[in-house]
Amino acid sequence: PPTGVRGGTATPSSLEVLWSGPDSMGDCEFLRWRVEIREVGGELSTEFEGASGGCGAWMLTSECRVSCVAEGLQSKTDYELRVKVECTNIETSSEFSSISPVVSTLPAPASAPTSVEISNEDEKSVELLWSAGEPNECTFREWEVMYQEGGSTAWTAAAGCGVAERASTTCNATGLSCDTGYVFRVRETCTDSEADSAWALGMGVRTPKGETCFTRATAPTGIQMKNATASSMVVEWHGGESNDCAFVSWQVERQDGATNFRNPSHFDTIG
């Protein structure tokens, strides 16, 4: 009989089935593989029956094919599998394989939140509101809220938005930067992460600039040192963008060997 029967990739309604062919086909003229499946566990245990979908008998007429996907299954359910070789002469068909280890379909995930809205934004925070989707087979853990900042592709957990009550579908995201664009997303997370919902994206928002919001000058570039003598050298650079900086002076520091940076002895700032 076939060997190594096991489950592979699972979804809420399907299971991948894999196996290895027998060491010898003997006098068998190969007809097809037969894959059977049964529910197990408590009162739900059933008899083996032919698997459906891609594991249907007439889908497995190639001797080289040793995997298939059984479909139409129940979510969050344990199953066992077995496989045999069927031959044109039924008397030469193999016995069924050993029964596989138990394999489970995934829980039906919560549906994604809807109507993610943003309001009451100020320089450092915004308020988010959303509507819960259907929980399905999710045992609620918390709402997860994340954001992208200033066009970045990285997602960051939003401070102030670790909401642990399913009925509470609002939070105040804090610790943001002023005059900065944000995109927020929300999902429902579950004690079994396989049941987490998909992400729901909110509209982009920009925090206001406000009276105390300043954009720093960008760092100088192209620093060069030349015309060195035993006790001096010329330092040149290109200024960055001033942004909200009202220029006062350039500050130049030096580092001797492994010491910390410090101001040169002959000048501290350049107006």
Side-chain angles (χ1 to χ4, degrees), residues 128-139:
L128 291 95
L129 305 94
W130 61 90
S131 299
E134 292 297 323
N136 297 319
E137 291 177 325
C138 167
T139 300

Side-chain angles (χ1 to χ4, degrees), residues 21-270:
D23 294 334
S24 171
M25 297 296 283
D27 295 326
C28 171
E29 183 178 339
F30 182 84
L31 177 64
R32 62 192 177 194
W33 302 103
R34 179 171 177 81
V35 177
E36 292 192 344
I37 189 168
R38 71 176 177 187
E39 292 183 29
V40 294
E43 297 178 357
L44 296 178
S45 296
T46 60
E47 297 299 320
F48 275 105
E49 60 182 19
S52 59
C55 291
W58 292 109
M59 302 293 290
L60 299 173
T61 56
S62 170
E63 185 177 347
C64 296
R65 183 176 178 181
V66 289
S67 69
C68 62
V69 177
E71 300 171 351
L73 307 179
Q74 299 295 315
S75 60
K76 202 175 180 180
T77 301
D78 294 336
Y79 289 93
E80 290 177 333
L81 310 160
R82 67 181 185 180
V83 181
K84 70 179 292 186
V85 180
E86 292 188 341
C87 310
T88 54
N89 181 350
I90 194 171
E91 294 180 355
T92 58
S93 296
S94 77
E95 300 293 329
F96 274 104
S97 66
S98 299
I99 296 171
S100 73
V102 173
V103 61
S104 303
T105 50
L106 302 183
S111 56
T114 59
S115 304
V116 180
E117 298 178 0
I118 297 170
S119 63
N120 299 330
E121 59 267 24
D122 62 26
E123 294 180 32
K124 300 292 185 180
S125 68
V126 298
E127 183 180 3
L128 291 95
L129 305 94
W130 61 90
S131 299
E134 292 297 323
N136 297 319
E137 291 177 325
C138 167
T139 300
F140 180 79
R141 185 174 66 85
E142 69 174 0
W143 294 108
E144 186 173 10
V145 181
M146 304 189 80
Y147 63 77
Q148 288 177 324
E149 180 180 53
S152 169
T153 58
W155 289 97
T156 302
C161 284
V163 183
E165 294 291 336
R166 191 173 193 274
S168 179
T169 55
T170 181
C171 71
N172 195 45
T174 60
L176 307 180
S177 299
C178 59
D179 193 28
T180 303
Y182 290 90
V183 175
F184 286 85
R185 66 181 185 179
V186 182
R187 71 172 176 176
E188 182 172 352
T189 65
C190 315
T191 54
D192 182 347
S193 62
E194 298 288 359
D196 291 353
S197 78
W199 289 100
L201 281 175
M203 298 291 291
V205 63
R206 190 173 191 86
T207 51
K209 188 172 181 66
E211 296 180 357
T212 60
C213 181
F214 299 102
T215 303
R216 289 177 176 269
T218 59
T221 60
I223 300 173
Q224 296 183 357
M225 295 171 287
K226 61 184 184 180
N227 299 338
T229 70
S231 60
S232 68
M233 66 176 60
V234 175
V235 182
E236 295 180 345
W237 62 88
H238 299 291
E241 295 295 328
S242 59
N243 295 321
D244 293 324
C245 171
F247 180 80
V248 174
S249 64
W250 296 105
Q251 181 174 343
V252 181
E253 295 184 343
R254 78 175 190 220
Q255 184 182 46
D256 298 326
T259 63
N260 293 329
F261 279 103
R262 59 190 177 89
N263 291 333
S265 57
H266 287 89
F267 56 83
D268 293 334
T269 57
I270 302 174

